Amino acid sequence: MKEDESNWFSKWEEELPKPEELIPLSQTLITPDLAIAFDIGSSQIPLNHHHQSLQHHQQPPAISTPSSQPNSGEFDSSELGGGGDEPARTLKRPRLVWTPQLHKRFVDAVAHLGIKNAVPKTIMQLMSVDGLTRENVASHLQKYRLYLKRMQGLSSGGGGNGAGGFGSGGDPATDHLFASSPVPPHFLHQSHPNSDNFLPYMPVAALQQQHHHQQMAAVAGHHLHRHVGHFGSVTNGQSNHQFLSRQSNQPLHRVGTPVHNSYMDDLESAKEKKALTLFPIGDD
DNA sequence: AGCGGAATAT
DNA sequence: AATATTCCGC
């Protein structure tokens, strides 16, 4: 059984996002509106591309909520109410789409924090995905917990598979996303009573092993990034290392160039509501 | 005052 | 169904 742990751990190592994989992650959620609003158009953030990124929703009726949004009167725009068409700077974040990659990061973060310390804020920090909000994580976490719970109730046979397959256990319609990442065993067991943190030691070596390849990480406007420096030690004597930490600052070359992944493309063009899709690429 | 979490809304 | 937003207790 201890092999289990080392085993999943090895897996975990392997599954660590490689630099290349991090890129798409980092050019995430900043909408052009936001970028503009922040005047950080300097860098890049090409989101304005036809699909793949934000989307203005239809704005809700009431104009209320005037109090917030210090729009600094620049685009005073009498907002909706009368115009009611282009809510120019009605800043509203696009819905976050939890891609398998993102979810994986989420799971990894939770796994390493231990269920106990895995709270939205901490998870968010560990994930260090730039546009990610605590609310995003909280919402996802809620759903994820339900998923885990449901799974514990079942025979342990079919639950946490996921790698490559799905439907194992016979629920094809199961939570698509959740089934796509390996759920660390301990998740299903129990909330660890007192001796939390099982992680022996983060083989940071493994990370370092990645050597300094082209560590291009951050890409999007590194300006308004809420990058978290690092997490030396959160609260409890958890074993926090700086494993996932990277990206954010590091103005490497702009990668937003020919990274055109034509994937679903207009697949959803039919839809009115597009959501922020971090990275269309889907591998694991 | 903010956070975490369930409830509720879209 | 998937996310977001609200509500409430700490």
Side-chain angles (χ1 to χ4, degrees):
Chain A
M1 297 358 184
K2 72 168 146 190
E3 279 196 351
D4 274 342
E5 293 191 354
S6 39
N7 189 19
W8 77 260
F9 191 78
S10 308
K11 270 183 149 187
W12 178 81
E13 286 183 10
E14 292 177 0
E15 290 166 354
L16 275 179
K18 297 165 182 181
E20 305 87 68
E21 295 179 331
L22 283 181
I23 293 163
L25 259 182
S26 33
Q27 50 186 34
T28 43
L29 313 169
I30 296 180
T31 75
D33 303 78
L34 270 183
I36 294 170
F38 279 61
D39 187 56
I40 57 150
S42 38
S43 301
Q44 65 253 280
I45 310 178
L47 334 116
N48 246 348
H49 285 143
H50 340 120
H51 41 311
Q52 129 154 17
S53 290
L54 61 129
Q55 130 86 8
H56 295 142
H57 305 175
Q58 35 188 35
Q59 233 320 125
I63 313 103
S64 28
T65 72
S67 44
S68 42
Q69 291 315 341
N71 268 341
S72 41
E74 288 182 353
F75 336 91
D76 56 20
S77 68
S78 13
E79 71 251 272
L80 6 77
D85 70 23
E86 272 272 4
R89 270 72 197 196
T90 307
L91 306 303
K92 204 183 181 111
R93 282 180 182 264
R95 281 169 64 109
L96 171 65
V97 173
W98 284 88
T99 64
Q101 281 86 357
L102 231 199
H103 177 64
K104 183 170 185 307
R105 251 184 123 91
F106 167 86
V107 172
D108 285 344
V110 174
H112 292 124
L113 284 170
I115 307 290
K116 292 168 58 178
N117 293 319
V119 292
K121 195 179 183 183
T122 313
I123 297 173
M124 179 193 71
Q125 290 175 155
L126 275 182
M127 290 179 70
S128 77
V129 171
D130 65 307
L132 242 198
T133 69
R134 189 176 62 87
E135 282 80 12
N136 288 140
V137 176
S139 184
H140 192 65
L141 180 60
Q142 182 178 22
K143 190 84 182 303
Y144 187 61
R145 280 173 175 156
L146 284 179
Y147 170 75
L148 290 182
K149 203 162 228 179
R150 220 186 312 151
M151 222 180 255
Q152 297 190 7
L154 307 172
S155 44
S156 20
N161 73 50
F166 30 69
S168 85
D171 0 87
T174 357
D175 321 61
H176 305 255
L177 216 202
F178 294 148
S180 72
S181 22
V183 177
H186 9 294
F187 280 30
L188 304 180
H189 293 159
Q190 275 219 351
S191 40
H192 302 207
N194 45 24
S195 50
D196 44 315
N197 60 21
F198 5 33
L199 306 200
Y201 240 103
M202 181 60 63
V204 187
L207 292 176
Q208 297 176 337
Q209 192 180 20
Q210 284 195 348
H211 277 299
H212 37 269
H213 266 199
Q214 356 157 332
Q215 287 194 341
M216 54 244 241
V219 69
H222 39 296
H223 281 140
L224 57 74
H225 280 173
R226 66 167 81 231
H227 66 277
V228 291
H230 62 287
F231 1 82
S233 51
V234 181
T235 33
N236 279 341
Q238 275 292 0
S239 21
N240 286 318
H241 311 69
Q242 51 137 184
F243 50 166
L244 309 162
S245 68
R246 35 185 80 183
Q247 71 134 78
S248 293
N249 35 9
Q250 291 250 3
L252 286 158
H253 55 299
R254 20 178 93 203
V255 192
T257 358
V259 192
H260 35 50
N261 323 310
S262 30
Y263 283 90
M264 27 209 358
D265 266 14
D266 313 64
L267 223 169
E268 12 191 290
S269 57
K271 301 195 172 186
E272 251 183 64
K273 304 205 164 191
K274 290 173 186 166
L276 208 222
T277 307
L278 292 213
F279 29 41
I281 62 174
D283 178 36
D284 66 344

